[in-house]
Amino acid sequence: MEIRHLGLADYLETLHAMQAFTEQRTLETPDALWICQHAPLYTQGLAGKADHVLAPGDTPIVATNRGGQVTFHGPGQVVAYPLLDLQRAGYFVKEYVYRIEEAVILTLLHFGVTGHRVAGAPGIYVRLDDPGSHAQLAQRPRKTEGSRVAHAVPDFSGLGKIAALGIKVSRHRTYHGLALNVDMDLEPFSRINPCGYPGLQTVDLSTIGVHTTWEEAAGVLSKQLAIRLPP
């Protein structure tokens, strides 16, 4: 996997570059991982609803073809775009999402934070009262007799979202990706329903007491993704 650090990258230019890479790649093209951060903007996924954007103000809103609903990007957030051939890797989309989430969980563990999955809500969450707690969530994904337990409405009680996922798969090839909040202005999240959930609190490493640099967090996340995503 070729890892490229793009720095502060224009969102639309990066999106168009990902699409071009995906369309032009061949069976021999190496997989890639692009790491960057963006200037402030909201992105709206394919499932996005206009009424989840409450008061955007002057912040641009960009419609995209990724999955999911509305989220915010800004400086101090590590954005990772894995560009994989899943057919060559030998696993399916559900496994791909699991591996991305696992990479985020292990990145957080590096900083002494325990990341959690919430049933029915992709992304990674932390306990607000005790970010290092390993106690399992009652609302975690579970299986009963070989099938997953259904949760009609995700329960975010006592939790903050620290990493969001929004992916696109075209002909078994992935683009878009994930965003990990490190040390950023979180106020713009209060002007949307993050990922379509009213009242969902968004946090970053800084607000839960972890003081690190964007570069260190990006390096740890890059390493974990490079380990977890290959076949």
Side-chain angles (χ1 to χ4, degrees):
M1 178 177 288
E2 297 181 350
I3 301 176
R4 292 178 56 194
H5 287 259
L6 308 180
L8 184 63
D10 180 84
Y11 180 82
L12 284 175
E13 289 181 3
T14 307
L15 173 58
H16 295 155
M18 284 192 292
Q19 291 172 321
F21 178 94
T22 302
E23 291 170 1
Q24 296 167 12
R25 67 180 301 166
T26 69
L27 294 176
E28 288 73 41
T29 302
D31 291 331
L33 175 64
W34 296 357
I35 303 292
C36 65
Q37 54 186 323
H38 296 303
L41 81 158
Y42 296 110
T43 63
Q44 187 74 283
L46 291 173
K49 298 179 180 179
D51 57 2
H52 288 309
V53 182
L54 307 176
D58 296 331
T59 305
I61 305 171
V62 178
T64 76
N65 63 343
R66 63 165 173 78
Q69 300 201 36
V70 64
T71 193
F72 172 74
H73 295 302
Q77 178 188 69
V78 178
V79 181
Y81 295 126
L83 306 171
L84 270 67
D85 183 335
L86 291 182
Q87 190 170 46
R88 186 171 64 195
Y91 54 86
F92 297 102
V93 175
K94 185 178 291 187
E95 174 73 11
Y96 174 61
V97 170
Y98 178 87
R99 290 183 184 215
I100 288 177
E101 291 178 337
E102 196 68 11
V104 174
I105 289 171
L106 291 168
T107 298
L108 294 175
L109 189 62
H110 173 87
F111 295 104
V113 175
T114 301
H116 299 272
R117 294 178 176 91
V118 172
I124 297 299
Y125 304 80
V126 297
R127 292 180 183 273
L128 297 174
D129 60 348
D130 188 0
S133 172
H134 296 306
Q136 292 185 325
L137 299 180
Q139 60 270 44
R140 70 188 183 278
R142 287 178 288 175
K143 290 184 177 180
T144 299
E145 297 180 356
S147 61
R148 288 199 175 275
V149 177
H151 289 262
V153 179
D155 180 5
F156 301 114
S157 301
L159 301 177
K161 189 165 191 174
I162 197 165
L165 275 68
I167 66 172
K168 175 70 175 179
V169 180
S170 174
R171 295 178 299 157
H172 309 289
R173 295 160 178 177
T174 72
Y175 61 105
H176 291 289
L178 69 147
L180 172 65
N181 304 331
V182 179
D183 186 2
M184 60 187 302
D185 179 8
L186 296 172
E187 186 277 333
F189 284 104
S190 69
R191 295 189 266 128
I192 59 173
N193 292 330
C195 303
Y197 296 110
L200 173 60
Q201 185 166 343
T202 305
V203 298
D204 61 10
L205 285 172
S206 177
T207 59
I208 58 174
V210 176
H211 301 292
T212 184
T213 63
W214 183 92
E215 288 77 11
E216 182 182 12
V220 176
L221 180 60
S222 299
K223 180 179 178 181
Q224 288 298 334
L225 288 166
I227 291 171
R228 303 292 154 190
L229 293 180

